[in-house]
């Protein structure tokens, strides 16, 4: 048939044969996607076609950082997905008479093909063990942060330029939720479990409301992963591995008028949710002989699921009978606790993977930038020390970048962000107040010392508007050294 078609085209055109060229398939292309994982050595990726693994974001030894994720998500201007993960600085915290760190939570993005690790946001956190329940789709990356029954849900819109994280639910105005999963694609539906009752809901990140959840899940179930077509969910059980069942991940037809509050929690009933559409599959266990599954994900074609269980990765056929052995096992002995599976990446190969230096240098640079001047770091001076902090967009000239003192005129014209002394450092007071990209921060330390001003950023202190030929003309001349 192909030859007949070519002859017909030639005859109709009146000329020679028309050459049509299609791009040759890339040898070794990642048509099965990449499996992102978290293990002892850090955040890595694994090629399911070959089993080859690469650490793309190494972590310091000794459990210095508590890590959540990784999850795959888009990034502006990049044609392939990137890995998002969070860390909490778990090194010994400083005290008045001892050295140490000021603990921060961080949200990072790593490009596994360029080796660039980028800080997206940072938040001083001396109360919790860091973010939990990191989830992502093509629209949002979301997480839970907090402790002691005061857990809030925050989300970052990946379809927009980098900006502040959006608070979706925060006690006491709203109920405390744990993020357990997310609907696929551009959906704004986050699967959340309420702290007090253990009941499950959709938390609509677009509308800021709760909706009934289509599955009847228990208070100890989760996490959960939904297939790329949105019709099946695999749920981790308290024991006996995981279970696969049908789900309807479409936006519910009826939206409660109340927001994501305790009242809405009481009004929403999982039993009233719509039945799954399409060809429903009977619930079936993946492998009921397993213990609790730490994390799980679907393959791009939804024919397989990968489980982070027993410290390793185990890949199962989604249609396999209970007790069927895994198709493959990876990273045995690696203490794997997090996993996510990307969409196909046909324009890249495993040979193009590039490890990043990891996040530690960036974390330590913030600690250096926020140290108090020596003269202010004394028992007598600390109560008198005042911290004034401003944020500005460094892609354009800003008068904030040249502030040298917190005079009444300056404070009236440019109200500062909340910040305070924390032992031998200072720190922002609001959650996720520091964000990366081209945002820079001007700080003035005064009260107990002659006003000391500096400029810093999460990834680099250099202004995005700074001319490369004349860096000394930038208002950040007094900035602390770049990480």
């Amino acid at each position: 048939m192909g030859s007949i078609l070519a002859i017909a085209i030639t005859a109709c055109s009146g000329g020679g044969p028309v050459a049509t060229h299609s791009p040759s398939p890339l040898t070794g292309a990642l048509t099965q996607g990449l499996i992102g994982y978290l293990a002892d050595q850090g955040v890595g990726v694994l090629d399911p076609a070959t089993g080859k693994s690469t650490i793309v974001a190494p972590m310091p030894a000794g459990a210095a950082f508590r890590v959540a994720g990784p999850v795959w998500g888009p990034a502006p201007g990049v044609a392939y997905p990137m890995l998002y993960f969070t860390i909490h600085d778990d090194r010994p915290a400083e005290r008045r008479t001892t050295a140490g760190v000021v603990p921060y939570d961080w949200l990072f993005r790593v490009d596994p093909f360029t080796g660039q690790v980028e800080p997206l946001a940072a938040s001083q956190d001396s109360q919790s063990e860091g973010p939990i329940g990191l989830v992502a789709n093509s629209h949002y990356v979301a997480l839970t942060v907090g402790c002691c029954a005061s857990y809030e849900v925050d989300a970052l819109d990946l379809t927009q330029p980098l900006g502040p994280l959006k608070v979706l639910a925060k006690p006491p105005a709203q109920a405390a939720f744990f993020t357990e999963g997310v609907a696929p694609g551009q959906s704004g539906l986050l699967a959340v479990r309420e702290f007090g009752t253990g009941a499950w809901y959709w938390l609509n990140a677009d509308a800021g409301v709760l909706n009934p959840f289509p599955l009847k899940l228990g208070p100890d179930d989760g996490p959960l992963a939904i297939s790329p077509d949105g019709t099946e969910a695999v749920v981790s059980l308290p024991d006996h591995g995981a279970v696969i069942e049908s789900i309807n991940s479409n936006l519910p037809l009826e939206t409660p008028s109340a927001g994501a509050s305790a009242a809405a929690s009481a009004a929403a009933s999982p039993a009233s949710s719509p039945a799954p559409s399409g060809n429903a599959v009977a619930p079936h266990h993946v492998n009921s002989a397993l213990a609790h599954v730490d994390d799980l994900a679907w393959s791009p074609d939804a024919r397989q699921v990968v489980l982070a269980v027993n410290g390793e990765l185990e890949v199962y056929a989604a249609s396999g009978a209970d007790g069927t052995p895994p198709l493959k096992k990876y990273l045995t002995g690696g203490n794997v606790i997090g996993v996510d599976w990307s969409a196909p990446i046909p324009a890249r190969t495993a040979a193009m993977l590039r490890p990043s230096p990891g996040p530690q240098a960036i974390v330590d640079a913030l600690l250096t930038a926020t140290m108090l001047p020596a003269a202010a770091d004394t028992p007598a001076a600390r109560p008198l020390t005042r911290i004034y902090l401003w944020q500005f967009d460094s892609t354009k000239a800003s008068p904030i970048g040249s502030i040298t003192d917190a005079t009444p005129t300056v404070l009236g014209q440019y109200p500062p962000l909340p910040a305070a002394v924390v032992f031998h450092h200072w720190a922002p007071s609001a959650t996720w107040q520091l964000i990366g990209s081209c945002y820079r921060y001007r700080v003035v330390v005064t009260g107990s010392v002659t006003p000391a001003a500096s400029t810093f950023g999460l990834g680099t202190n250099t202004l995005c508007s700074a001319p490369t030929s004349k860096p000394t003309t930038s208002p950040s001349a007094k900035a602390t050294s770049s990480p």
Side-chain angles (χ1 to χ4, degrees):
M1 178 64 73
S3 299
I4 296 174
L5 181 61
I7 293 171
I9 293 174
T10 302
C12 294
S13 64
V18 178
T20 57
H21 299 283
S22 59
S24 300
L26 188 63
T27 302
L30 298 167
T31 56
Q32 299 179 40
L34 282 171
I35 298 176
Y37 65 88
L38 172 62
D40 278 340
Q41 293 180 300
V43 172
V45 294
L46 183 144
D47 178 6
T50 64
K52 179 184 177 182
S53 62
T54 303
I55 295 294
V56 294
M59 299 294 163
F65 295 159
R66 191 178 296 269
V67 189
V71 292
W72 293 97
V78 181
Y80 49 81
M82 292 203 195
L83 280 170
Y84 293 78
F85 63 93
T86 67
I87 67 170
H88 174 76
D89 197 338
D90 220 19
R91 294 174 290 184
E94 68 178 12
R95 297 291 183 265
R96 293 197 183 279
T97 58
T98 60
V101 304
V102 175
Y104 278 83
D105 298 331
W106 291 79
L107 174 62
F108 280 95
R109 174 170 61 206
V110 61
D111 186 330
F113 298 106
T114 67
Q116 180 182 10
V117 61
E118 179 184 5
L120 302 180
S123 181
Q124 195 270 331
D125 180 5
S126 299
Q127 301 298 319
S128 80
E129 295 183 339
I132 56 176
L134 187 69
V135 298
N137 60 12
S138 298
H139 195 169
Y140 291 102
V141 59
L143 50 85
T144 295
V145 66
C147 77
C148 318
S150 185
Y151 298 96
E152 72 176 68
V153 176
D154 301 324
L156 179 66
D157 190 339
L158 301 179
T159 67
Q160 301 296 322
L162 182 62
L165 273 70
K166 180 180 180 181
V167 178
L168 302 181
K170 182 177 182 178
Q174 294 94 16
F177 293 108
F178 299 120
T179 41
E180 298 283 1
V182 62
Q186 289 286 323
S187 176
L189 297 180
L190 307 175
V192 296
R193 177 169 54 87
E194 190 174 354
F195 170 78
T197 65
W200 287 64
Y201 304 95
W202 284 129
L203 175 56
N204 189 327
D206 293 327
V209 299
L210 285 180
N211 292 112
F213 195 70
L215 301 180
K216 292 185 178 181
L217 300 178
D220 296 318
D221 293 339
L224 164 150
I226 300 176
S227 60
D229 66 0
T231 64
E232 294 181 86
V234 56
V235 186
S236 176
L237 303 176
D239 52 21
H240 301 301
V243 65
I244 294 176
E245 53 186 305
S246 295
I247 189 172
N248 185 350
S249 57
N250 294 324
L251 185 69
L253 296 178
E254 295 183 4
T255 299
S257 57
S261 63
S265 299
S269 171
S272 64
S273 40
S277 60
N279 298 322
V281 298
H284 60 281
H285 284 270
V286 176
N287 185 349
S288 58
L290 293 174
H292 172 74
V293 175
D294 293 312
D295 206 357
L296 27 69
W298 290 86
S299 64
D301 60 9
R303 294 181 179 180
Q304 299 174 346
V305 293
V306 58
L307 311 181
V309 61
N310 297 326
E312 64 185 10
L313 293 180
E314 299 186 7
V315 179
Y316 290 86
S319 60
D322 186 17
T324 302
L327 301 173
K328 295 178 181 178
K329 290 186 178 183
Y330 301 111
L331 304 172
T332 301
N335 194 27
V336 180
I337 57 174
V339 67
D340 197 19
W341 202 326
S342 79
I345 311 176
R348 295 291 185 275
T349 70
M352 299 177 182
L353 293 169
R354 298 289 182 270
S356 76
Q360 183 171 357
I362 296 173
V363 173
D364 290 346
L366 180 60
L367 296 176
T368 299
T370 57
M371 290 182 64
L372 292 176
D377 191 16
T378 67
R382 284 191 206 100
L384 304 176
T385 303
R386 296 293 179 266
I387 308 297
Y388 297 92
L389 178 68
W390 295 270
Q391 179 194 78
F392 65 98
D393 180 355
S394 73
T395 61
K396 49 195 174 185
S398 171
I400 291 176
S402 58
I403 290 175
T404 57
D405 195 2
T407 64
T409 301
V410 168
L411 296 178
Q413 191 169 4
Y414 307 107
L417 302 172
V421 171
V422 182
F423 299 122
H424 312 294
H425 290 73
W426 63 266
S429 302
T431 303
W432 300 118
Q433 192 162 285
L434 301 179
I435 54 179
S437 187
C438 284
Y439 289 100
R440 298 295 179 265
Y441 294 86
R442 189 69 171 174
V443 59
V444 171
V445 182
T446 186
S448 62
V449 294
T450 301
S454 61
T455 299
F456 73 94
L458 287 188
T460 176
N461 299 331
T462 303
L463 305 187
C464 290
S465 61
T468 55
S469 58
K470 298 180 180 180
T472 55
T473 62
S474 166
S476 63
K478 297 183 181 179
T480 55
S481 60
S482 300

